[in-house]
């Protein structure tokens, strides 16, 4: 078995370093973390050559981001490694909330059946990076260069000039577009003289990765003010390999270096598990909450994604998940522009949409942090009263906030959406991520809607059979042909076997949903013709 934490990648001198003049590449991605790797894979699968530069030659250490949401797993499916992530990870749907020593309620994040993926998978970040890196290594359009640090950048009208430092000295590289996925301490952000703005919370948390055999289910357990850690909060998560993640609230006055010492961590863990508990410490870190973002995610030909663009407190699992969704949003738009299917204006929508999503994540994360770590006696009294009420009254449970867990943003305000002209019910509105549902393929085998619609192209989901559905499918094909943009088609009968899909999409025979390459709904109709679909396609590509 590969030890991904100790894995090191070889630095290799590249012919670009010996070129007489800087070589120009379509896209340079800076940072080989989950976001940069996902973006590079997505672009390569769309036929776009990518140079991926990382200043190190190793994967992350410690668990770091561990909770990967259903939407992120669906994206990983399309990138060719979702099954591997789910196979290694610990799947979970249930969370339990405790006040002092009493469980006050539990919740199920995926209370309904009919989804290919669980609500969340817990998987250490080094596994996620390792699986993505191995997938990237198998794609010939990805040129992954370890120990290549971007040390300078100059923007020109038609490209970005990068100065790259290596163990053999610096060299020059040009890229038509650059994606900065280089984390919260982004060197690209510093090189451009930009900053993230927001709020830092005056509290500290200890993360401890503890290896042990513990007879507890794969659930999220959160304690407010437990007897074993009074006046603070604690979070417990199961990970693969018998590793458990424990987060201890410490308070603002805690010394980060002292709290990382084993002699400080071990008593805290024993207070939770019992004095006789047997365990080994694998990794520990102390972090401070902050919620912040850059004013704009696009700066000329440079785009910021993931932690380089925005940061949130960890409760709610909104960091890595939103970063992977940034990458998915940016990839199809860069590909469309580079392949001359869309104008440069489409790239502006990346900033508009993902800034909107970041603001939503920051709002939820800020509210969670304020509830978990009250900073006044009045706030604490309110929180504790809510927790007491939540033991007996369902209405109070909606007020408890131990981290509203990550869901994809519905892009209500996107200019790429075509407003409804027909009446629909439900949540599959323009701007929403398409819902999954089981289906039966034409050959009789079982499948899943999102996996069938996972080609990375625009997709028409057509409901029904017979002439009315055939007309809708022909309309989508004609619209794509006229625009020079392929539209894939997924046919879903309106029979008993597909009743769940029809219900989730409020569909009947002839209903057509047009999905963007990132599976957001961009238009829907009860009766579609080629003109309507073509207009929606043009709008989604900023060709209108």
């Amino acid at each position: 078995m590969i030890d991904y934490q100790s894995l090191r990648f070889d630095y290799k001198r590249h012919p670009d370093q010996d070129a007489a003049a800087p070589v120009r590449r379509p896209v340079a991605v800076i940072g080989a973390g989950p976001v940069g790797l996902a973006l590079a894979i997505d672009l390569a699968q769309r036929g776009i050559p990518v140079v991926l530069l990382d200043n190190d030659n190793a994967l992350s250490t410690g668990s770091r981001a561990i909770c990967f949401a259903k939407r992120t797993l669906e994206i990983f499916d399309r990138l060719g490694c979702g099954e591997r992530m789910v196979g290694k990870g610990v799947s979970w749907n249930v969370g339990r909330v405790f006040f002092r020593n009493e469980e006050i309620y539990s919740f199920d994040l995926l209370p309904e059946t009919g989804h290919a993926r669980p609500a969340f998978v817990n998987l250490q970040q080094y596994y996620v990076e390792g699986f993505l890196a191995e997938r990237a290594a198998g794609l010939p359009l990805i040129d992954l260069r370890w120990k290549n640090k971007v040390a300078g950048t100059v923007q020109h009208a038609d490209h970005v000039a990068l100065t790259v430092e290596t163990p053999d000295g610096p060299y020059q590289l040009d890229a038509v577009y650059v994606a900065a996925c280089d984390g919260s301490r982004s060197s690209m952000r510093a090189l451009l003289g930009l900053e993230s703005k927001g709020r830092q919370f005056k509290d500290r948390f200890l993360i401890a990765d503890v290896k042990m055999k513990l007879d507890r289910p794969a659930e999220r357990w959160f304690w407010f003010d437990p007897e074993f850690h009074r006046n603070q909060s604690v979070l417990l998560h199961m990970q693969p390999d018998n590793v458990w993640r424990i987060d201890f609230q410490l308070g603002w006055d805690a010394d980060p270096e002292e709290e990382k010492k084993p002699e400080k961590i071990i008593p805290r863990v024993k207070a939770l598990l019992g004095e006789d508990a047997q365990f080994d410490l694998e990794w520990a870190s102390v972090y401070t909450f902050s919620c912040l973002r850059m004013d704009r995610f696009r700066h000329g030909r440079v785009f910021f994604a993931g932690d380089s663009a925005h940061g949130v407190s960890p409760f709610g699992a909104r960091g890595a998940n939103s970063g992977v969704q940034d990458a998915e949003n940016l990839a199809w738009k860069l590909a469309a522009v580079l392949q001359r299917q869309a104008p440069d204006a489409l790239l502006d929508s990346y900033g508009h949409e993902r800034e909107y999503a970041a603001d939503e994540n920051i709002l939820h994360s800020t509210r969670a942090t304020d509830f978990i770590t009250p900073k006044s006696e009045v706030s604490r009294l309110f929180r504790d009263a809510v927790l007491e009420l939540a033991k007996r009254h369902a209405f109070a449970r909606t007020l408890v906030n131990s981290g509203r867990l990550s869901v994809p943003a519905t892009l209500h305000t996107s200019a790429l959406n075509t407003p409804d002209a027909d009446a629909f019910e439900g949540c599959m509105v323009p701007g929403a991520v398409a819902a999954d549902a089981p289906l039966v393929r034409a050959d009789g085998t079982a499948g899943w809607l999102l996996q069938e619609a996972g080609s990375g192209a625009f997709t028409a989901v057509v409901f029904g059979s017979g002439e009315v559905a055939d007309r809708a499918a022909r309309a989508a094909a004609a619209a794509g042909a006229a625009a020079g943009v392929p539209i894939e088609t997924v046919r879903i009968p309106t029979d008993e076997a597909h009743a769940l899909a029809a219900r989730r999409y409020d569909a009947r025979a002839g209903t057509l949903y047009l999905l963007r390459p990132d599976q957001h709904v961009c238009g829907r109709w009860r009766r579609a013709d080629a003109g309507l679909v073509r207009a929606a396609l043009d709008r989604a590509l900023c060709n209108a």
Side-chain angles (χ1 to χ4, degrees), residues 29-46:
V29 176
I30 316 303
V35 178
L37 283 162
L39 176 56
I41 294 167
D42 208 338
L43 286 166
Q45 291 187 167
R46 297 178 189 281

Side-chain angles (χ1 to χ4, degrees), residues 67-315:
C67 294
F68 292 89
K70 183 171 78 73
R71 179 58 200 154
T72 303
L73 298 172
E74 292 162 354
I75 295 169
F76 288 157
D77 279 337
R78 190 172 52 73
L79 300 183
C81 48
E83 194 65 38
R84 200 173 177 201
M85 303 283 187
V86 174
K88 180 63 180 177
V90 173
S91 299
W92 66 277
N93 298 325
V94 174
R96 300 188 184 277
V97 179
F98 300 80
F99 182 37
R100 301 196 173 103
N101 284 351
E102 184 178 0
E103 181 180 341
I104 56 176
Y105 73 97
S106 64
F107 55 87
D108 190 337
L109 292 165
L110 200 66
E112 57 183 10
T113 59
H115 295 270
R117 295 308 182 199
F120 280 87
V121 160
N122 283 357
L123 184 62
Q124 294 94 321
Q125 184 171 324
Y126 50 81
Y127 279 122
V128 173
E129 292 179 5
F131 296 167
L132 289 170
E134 288 166 358
R135 172 64 178 151
L139 296 172
L141 291 183
I142 296 179
D143 178 1
L144 178 46
R145 305 180 191 179
W146 300 102
K147 284 196 170 292
N148 275 241
K149 178 183 178 180
V150 176
T153 179
V154 178
Q155 292 217 47
H156 299 275
D158 60 350
H159 72 281
V160 181
L162 301 174
T163 300
V164 184
E165 292 182 346
T166 76
D168 290 332
Y171 69 101
Q172 301 297 308
L173 176 70
D174 291 349
V176 179
Y177 294 105
V178 173
C181 308
D182 51 346
S184 58
R185 296 183 177 89
S186 170
S187 60
M188 281 296 295
R189 195 174 60 222
L191 288 169
L192 292 178
L194 304 170
E195 60 180 346
S196 285
K197 301 173 185 176
R199 175 181 172 190
Q200 184 180 71
F201 297 87
K202 291 191 173 182
D203 215 321
R204 303 188 198 278
F205 269 74
L206 165 73
I207 300 174
D209 279 356
V210 177
K211 188 156 190 172
M212 59 185 172
K213 291 186 177 179
L214 184 62
D215 186 21
R216 289 190 182 181
E219 300 172 344
R220 179 187 195 262
W221 288 24
F222 193 101
W223 289 267
F224 291 96
D225 191 14
E227 292 292 334
F228 60 83
H229 195 59
R230 290 308 310 269
N231 300 315
Q232 308 284 17
S233 299
V234 177
L235 175 64
L236 178 68
H237 267 291
M238 180 193 291
Q239 302 178 79
D241 306 329
N242 291 320
V243 176
W244 292 76
R245 162 82 163 264
I246 312 174
D247 292 49
F248 293 97
Q249 184 184 1
L250 299 175
W252 182 242
D253 295 331
D255 183 327
E257 294 307 313
E258 281 294 313
E259 295 295 343
K260 285 191 289 187
K261 294 179 178 178
E263 58 266 31
K264 296 286 286 188
I265 299 172
I266 290 171
R268 297 192 190 282
V269 176
K270 286 190 172 183
L272 166 63
L273 301 176
E275 193 61 34
D276 296 330
Q278 300 295 311
F279 57 87
D280 295 311
L281 291 178
E282 281 215 335
W283 176 75
S285 180
V286 174
Y287 60 87
T288 301
F289 287 163
S290 60
C291 286
L292 40 82
R293 78 165 175 88
M294 298 175 67
D295 289 335
R296 292 180 294 114
F297 294 176
R298 180 182 187 182
H299 290 266
R301 292 181 171 271
V302 180
F303 302 85
F304 290 84
D307 287 352
S308 70
H310 49 76
V312 292
S313 301
F315 293 110

